[in-house]
Amino acid sequence: MKIIVLTAAIIASLARVPDAAAQAKLNVITTTEDLASIAREVGGDRITVDSLAKGYQDPHFVEAKPSFILKLQKADVLIVVGRELEVGWLPPLIQQSRNAKIQSGADGYLDASTQARILDIPQGQITRAMGDVHPSGNPHYWLDPENGKVVARTIAAKLAQSRPNDKAYFDQRLADFIARVAEGEKRWLAALAPYRGVKVVTYHRSYPNFADRFGLDVVGYVEPRPGIPPSPGHTLDLIQEMKRQQIKVILIEPYFDQKTPNSIATQTGASVVVLPPSVGGEKTITDYIKLFDYDINLLVTALKAAGAKPGGTD
Ligand SMILES: [Zn+2]
């Protein structure tokens, strides 16, 4: 009799499994691997996640593939970086997917930037002469871990809206992720503390949030204006300025040509550091926390080797 009761209990418990699984996993598509990583942290095994762009690609200019449309057709939720980062390639794909759920403004469309701290919001009128300026501010905001926490909260709220029964699960994973980011932040800030205020040059304006959080002073760019390739005149000015301010490090994104940065480095004695701005920018950068572990370690090693000094010694 006992055995029969037990068996019945097992059958009952087994019977609940297909019930729970009857609700298919929420299919989340993100534009970048950073957002995919954060969504995975929050969504756990209740969602599937895939990113359109790879972390080693320039997120402003992603070559659209037919597979992107297929992915978008099946998406329940689409998460975008926003702030016009994807404006050059994503809108036609969303349209061609004919998926009503993920059209801009629909329930399945999430702009991850809405609650984030956004820098470089231009004042006054924007003209073409200013280059590829983003009117709604700098879209590279995910490179501040504080914004990573905010994005995770934004994503958790959206997932809970789509799957109210899983809200507690998402909330618990969110809290765990936020705690691990906070731990990481202590580690990263401590590693860079000896170099606080150090002056650097970057290729594109990809790192303002990163610089702001970790105490770097970005004094110039290899690009004369955002999105505009290097020009000889600007490069000469930059070399003069770097010599004057004794800049030791040039940070560059993996997807830009290193020719100009290398020539600037040769003439100034600075070193070029390829600093991946995204998850997937390097094989070992498999998640959002590893992105900072990798970048901070690389940066500290480079600053140490270059004999860089903290700020305030101009
Ligand atoms: Zn940009």
Side-chain angles (χ1 to χ4, degrees), residues 60 85 134 138-140 204-206:
H60 301 83
L85 182 75
H134 298 282
N138 190 298
H140 304 275
H204 176 72
R205 289 166 204 241
S206 299

Side-chain angles (χ1 to χ4, degrees), residues 186-198 210 213-216 295-297 299-301 303 310:
K186 278 186 212 153
R187 181 163 81 231
W188 304 322
L189 284 168
L192 275 170
Y195 302 100
R196 193 137 199 101
V198 68
F210 183 88
R213 179 61 52 198
F214 296 111
L216 311 182
D295 280 0
I296 301 284
N297 178 50
L299 191 55
V300 167
T301 306
L303 290 170

